[in-house]
Amino acid sequence: MMRFDPFREIEELTQRLDRTFGQASAAPTRFAPPVDVHEDEQGLELTLDLPGVTPEALQIEAENQTLTVQATRAYERKEGRTAHRVERAHGTLARTFSVPPKYDLTKVEAELNHGTLTLRVPRSEAAQKRTVTVRTGKVLEQDTGASA
């Protein structure tokens, strides 16, 4: 026995209308991929899910304390096939992050591995933790070797 789901029928109707009026092949939509943001002593690490995106389709820009990730994933529509369900996101994927000045956007590192993009943003030199040596104001007398 199947549970009644009133939204399932609405979803199926919406998909049928999209297929009928060609929305699956219309202009690409824009969506934000999910992201995890972590911070440690070295800096920030941002991890985005970008399945099916190639490095060539990826654009990463860093400017004015803003980090932008943009990619395009095309919808592959083949002739002679009918799409019954199109749920995977396609079109333009974009996320923009405001990065505090304590991070150095000139040294961002990016790695794409199995559909996961990892961005590492190090702390700026000025924001690095430093140990400060304490000096005393006392001047040490030198021993001249002469006795009085």
Side-chain angles (χ1 to χ4, degrees):
M1 181 195 269
M2 197 168 158
R3 291 179 85 170
F4 175 68
D5 181 3
F7 298 105
R8 184 178 54 107
E9 290 184 23
I10 294 171
E11 180 183 328
E12 288 177 0
L13 177 61
T14 302
Q15 290 175 358
R16 285 182 188 160
L17 288 171
D18 287 347
R19 283 193 306 271
T20 301
F21 295 108
Q23 292 299 315
S25 63
T29 57
R30 188 177 183 103
F31 71 97
V35 64
D36 293 338
V37 180
H38 295 95
E39 179 182 25
D40 61 18
E41 290 178 7
Q42 284 73 43
L44 288 176
E45 183 177 273
L46 297 90
T47 308
L48 293 91
D49 286 341
L50 300 173
V53 172
T54 63
E56 298 80 28
L58 192 56
Q59 182 178 357
I60 302 168
E61 295 179 349
E63 182 181 26
N64 296 328
Q65 298 312 124
T66 302
L67 183 62
T68 303
V69 177
Q70 188 167 317
T72 303
R73 186 169 58 209
Y75 175 72
E76 295 181 27
R77 184 175 184 177
K78 296 181 182 176
E79 292 298 320
R81 288 179 28 172
T82 301
H84 292 284
R85 189 172 294 263
V86 179
E87 294 181 353
R88 297 182 313 138
H90 60 276
T92 302
L93 299 82
R95 287 299 292 259
T96 300
F97 306 94
S98 294
V99 179
K102 68 180 181 178
Y103 298 102
D104 190 350
L105 287 178
T106 64
K107 297 181 181 176
V108 175
E109 295 178 359
E111 180 182 339
L112 184 63
N113 193 13
H114 299 292
T116 300
L117 175 67
T118 302
L119 300 170
R120 290 177 189 82
V121 185
R123 287 185 185 269
S124 67
E125 291 294 321
Q128 293 290 333
K129 188 176 188 179
R130 293 177 182 19
T131 302
V132 177
T133 304
V134 179
R135 297 183 297 176
T136 63
K138 199 175 183 186
V139 177
L140 298 175
E141 294 180 23
Q142 288 185 337
D143 184 10
T144 58
S147 44

